Amino acid sequence: MLRITGGRVYDPANGVDGVVKDVCIADGRIVPQVEGGRTIDATGLIVFPGGVDIHTHVAGAALNFARGLTPENMRRGLPFVHTKDLRAGLGGVTPTTFATGYLYAGMGWTTVNEAAVPILSARHTHEELHDTPIVDKSCLVLMANNEIVLDLLEAGEVERATHVVGWLIWAAKAYGVKAVNPGGVAAWKWGKDAKVLSGPIEGYSSLTPAAIIAGLAKIVDDLKLPHPLHLHCNNLGTPGNVSTTLETLKILEGHRAHLAHLQFHAYGGNDWGTIRSEAAVLAEYFNTHPNLTTDAGAMLFGDTVTITADGPLEHLLHQLSGRKWGNVDVENETGCGIVPHTYKPSKLVNAVQWAVGLELLLLINDPWRVFLTTDHPNGACFWRYPEIIRLLMDAEFRKEQIKALPPETLNRTALADIDRQYTLSEIAIISAAGPARALGLSQKGHLGVGADADVALYEEHPDSGILFEYPRYVIKGGDVVVEEGQLRNVSNGRQFLVHPAFDDQIEAYLRPLFQKVYTMSFDNYPVEIERLQEPDIKPCA
Ligand SMILES: [Zn+2]
């Protein structure tokens, strides 16, 4: 039992905005009262619900590939002392499993959603998530280039496709569906992409990206998954892609949807020389369409490594930057590309990208529908979130930063004219309450009675960037894991997944097809539930 007393509590989901009140914890949950037990004096501290990362890449074959491809990053920092409680880990831009759990918890984040899992390698992802301590996890399975699903959509067999998707989600022990560059990754196997939403995809006579987007959005709604279709739009990262993004949003009308890393999809201009921000146009669309949520995918200057299922995009990035490049095609399901990357403040394109991420966070009015992410590690590493919080909370500091960028940035972006400053309550929404709600995780992101006791206590400090960097205490599921700024206790996390309703007979359809086209036997394909650490199956309703 635990009582946190004297802190200023920010719990926007329950309408609590900086009120000094006690938070009581028993059996891993928030409770109305406790008698006895430990008391933490939180006088002078602010009390937040534990952070929830709705879109990150922390586990699985792609991450391991990136770790192997960038030994120069693994050498760089944050080696952990190997003690009785702390396992050895490497930090850098793609931290190893143990370090990932320590770093998230050490920042006050307690739930992470791994956003891109191929079914074929889901077992590997679960093994790594199992080894990622403290945080609770969920994962999304890649579906917009799965050839079994695409063939059914082309044939107009949406009902059968729905059963197949339900079966595949359960086979991967996943929580939801991710669509990456619909059709473009399948086309990439022939060196092509899918740049036009209304045009047939390479290898298909009539199936278009638009039909895949509409089909999957309907399937996810029909399966009643707690999290809507999680979509990485076509034409990521290219000048003028805002028109594709707007066209995508129109296709999604009438459905719920979450748009991933919107920063990478909000560019105007005709080429790299004329690229400009179109964040305002997308923000206006979001402000009038409550069916949508998004995460920023904000970018910060510095070294990172890009990792995405969007194979053609990575090839383009490699051609542009000349940096080393890795590509994997995952049989007939998806693909993956890796390219190390450096965002430079002296480069106009990067300056525009930096501004776009912040503009989206500042121009979308409703903090419940735009969330703090960097698409870790694509825009920047997750452990740099406090830098973004400072930029959002301090307009003067933000304007100072703009002065260091190429002067032409002012003509290509609107950031210098935006005076909005986030409040602490709004930070709690974009980092915890909002993403928890969008994920459909009702026990996360808030401090109401019955919620999981995931709590972060930060020091009040005029410099908001420092405030969020090192929480004084972090409590995960009722365990005090960070104390006086030190990681003291390492607990295991749970794993959220869904078991959608599907017709069991769908196996009779899949088995012969599978034996024909896959290199793995059908019976070895599904991940066993026993592989998951503390599985927690959420209802589809
Ligand atoms: Zn991503």
Side-chain angles (χ1 to χ4, degrees):
M1 284 187 296
L2 182 65
R3 175 185 295 271
I4 301 164
T5 189
R8 277 203 295 133
V9 177
Y10 290 86
D11 181 15
N14 293 300
V16 178
D17 185 5
V19 177
V20 175
K21 63 187 285 249
D22 288 4
V23 174
C24 296
I25 293 168
D27 300 324
R29 300 275 173 136
I30 307 286
V31 294
Q33 272 301 335
V34 284
E35 296 296 333
R38 183 180 172 187
T39 297
I40 290 178
D41 180 4
T43 307
L45 303 182
I46 64 168
V47 181
F48 261 43
V52 177
D53 198 332
I54 197 168
H55 187 109
T56 185
H57 302 281
V58 291
L63 260 288
N64 243 5
F65 187 14
R67 289 170 188 137
L69 196 70
T70 56
E72 66 276 20
N73 288 326
M74 299 311 289
R75 223 178 249 185
R76 272 182 188 170
L78 298 162
F80 284 89
V81 182
H82 196 168
T83 67
K84 185 168 69 65
D85 299 315
L86 296 186
R87 302 289 305 273
L90 286 168
V93 297
T94 47
T96 47
T97 51
F98 305 120
T100 296
Y102 302 156
L103 285 164
Y104 263 114
M107 192 172 66
W109 261 246
T110 48
T111 305
V112 299
N113 183 43
E114 160 56 61
V117 180
I119 309 149
L120 198 57
S121 60
R123 188 173 280 109
H124 181 167
T125 306
H126 286 296
E127 298 288 356
E128 289 204 11
L129 290 176
H130 181 281
D131 267 359
T132 304
I134 306 175
V135 292
D136 289 337
K137 314 95 179 171
S138 54
C139 65
L140 306 180
V141 74
L142 292 159
M143 208 63 82
N145 295 281
N146 184 301
E147 292 178 24
I148 293 176
V149 175
L150 298 197
D151 288 349
L152 288 169
L153 289 176
E154 176 159 81
E157 293 196 49
V158 179
E159 198 183 327
R160 183 175 275 171
T162 306
H163 291 296
V164 167
V165 171
W167 189 92
L168 292 171
I169 291 168
W170 180 242
K173 299 295 177 284
Y175 184 74
V177 173
K178 167 82 171 299
V180 170
N181 185 358
V185 183
W188 173 240
K189 286 162 195 160
W190 288 269
K192 301 286 196 322
D193 197 353
K195 298 197 150 301
V196 181
L197 297 191
S198 57
I201 295 156
E202 183 72 18
Y204 290 83
S205 56
S206 63
L207 186 69
T208 63
I212 300 172
I213 295 164
L216 282 176
K218 177 177 165 31
I219 286 170
V220 170
D221 280 355
D222 288 350
L223 289 171
K224 298 186 167 57
L225 302 187
H227 183 52
L229 179 65
H230 194 110
L231 178 59
H232 157 147
C233 297
N234 300 66
N235 290 323
L236 178 143
T238 52
N241 63 7
V242 69
S243 58
T244 305
T245 310
L246 285 167
E247 204 182 330
T248 304
L249 295 175
K250 295 209 171 78
I251 294 166
L252 291 167
E253 280 180 16
H255 296 287
R256 305 174 299 155
H258 178 85
L259 275 277
H261 39 67
L262 199 60
Q263 180 272 123
F264 289 108
H265 303 277
Y267 309 143
N270 301 315
D271 52 34
W272 297 105
T274 56
I275 191 169
R276 64 172 190 275
S277 169
E278 290 292 356
V281 174
L282 288 184
E284 197 182 305
Y285 192 96
F286 269 80
N287 288 340
T288 52
H289 289 80
N291 59 317
L292 302 170
T293 57
T294 187
D295 62 89
M299 184 227 102
L300 292 168
F301 299 113
D303 289 327
T304 194
V305 56
T306 61
I307 306 174
T308 173
D310 197 336
L313 178 272
E314 290 287 30
H315 182 247
L316 173 70
L317 193 59
H318 159 68
Q319 286 180 316
L320 290 169
S321 70
R323 302 284 290 266
K324 55 187 165 183
W325 167 54
N327 180 79
V328 177
D329 289 328
V330 186
E331 299 203 10
N332 51 355
E333 288 184 2
T334 181
C336 165
I338 316 276
V339 178
H341 198 63
T342 305
Y343 297 107
K344 295 180 181 157
S346 57
K347 271 180 76 176
L348 180 59
V349 170
N350 295 160
V352 169
Q353 292 181 299
W354 177 82
V356 168
L358 296 170
E359 286 178 8
L360 289 167
L361 283 158
L362 292 160
L363 293 174
I364 295 176
N365 297 328
D366 182 1
W368 287 95
R369 294 195 294 115
V370 58
F371 312 128
L372 174 56
T373 68
T374 53
D375 187 18
H376 164 78
N378 289 299
C381 298
F382 67 82
W383 41 262
R384 296 182 68 188
Y385 287 170
E387 295 176 45
I388 299 171
I389 292 174
R390 183 173 181 198
L391 287 161
L392 294 174
M393 293 189 75
D394 186 342
E396 281 311 307
F397 173 69
R398 201 161 64 218
K399 288 175 186 185
E400 280 302 310
Q401 307 300 303
I402 298 171
K403 287 181 189 162
L405 302 177
E408 180 61 14
T409 310
L410 291 175
N411 300 323
R412 308 288 184 91
T413 65
L415 191 61
D417 301 321
I418 301 173
D419 294 320
R420 180 178 168 194
Q421 301 191 123
Y422 266 66
T423 63
L424 282 170
S425 182
E426 287 174 329
I427 296 295
I429 297 171
I430 63 164
S431 65
R437 185 178 286 180
L439 284 166
L441 291 172
S442 57
Q443 82 278 34
K444 295 293 182 190
H446 72 100
L447 300 173
V449 169
D452 287 354
D454 299 349
V455 193
L457 279 64
Y458 300 94
E459 257 173 86
E460 292 197 67
H461 194 286
D463 177 348
S464 54
I466 291 171
L467 174 83
F468 285 97
E469 215 161 326
Y470 300 107
R472 274 273 287 283
Y473 295 91
V474 177
I475 293 137
K476 166 66 190 21
D479 296 329
V480 181
V481 291
V482 170
E483 190 153 0
E484 296 301 334
Q486 299 286 320
L487 197 56
R488 294 274 173 86
N489 180 10
V490 177
S491 57
N492 292 329
R494 278 181 293 161
Q495 182 146 353
F496 302 119
L497 68 158
V498 292
H499 192 167
F502 53 83
D503 180 357
D504 286 336
Q505 297 303 311
I506 201 67
E507 278 200 30
Y509 169 79
L510 282 170
R511 183 178 287 274
L513 194 59
F514 201 94
Q515 298 292 114
K516 198 169 99 186
V517 298
Y518 270 85
T519 62
M520 184 194 271
S521 95
F522 188 67
D523 294 320
N524 282 338
Y525 189 56
V527 178
E528 305 84 347
I529 189 83
E530 292 74 22
R531 299 231 171 224
L532 274 62
Q533 188 178 56
E534 299 186 39
D536 185 343
I537 301 174
K538 295 297 175 193
C540 297

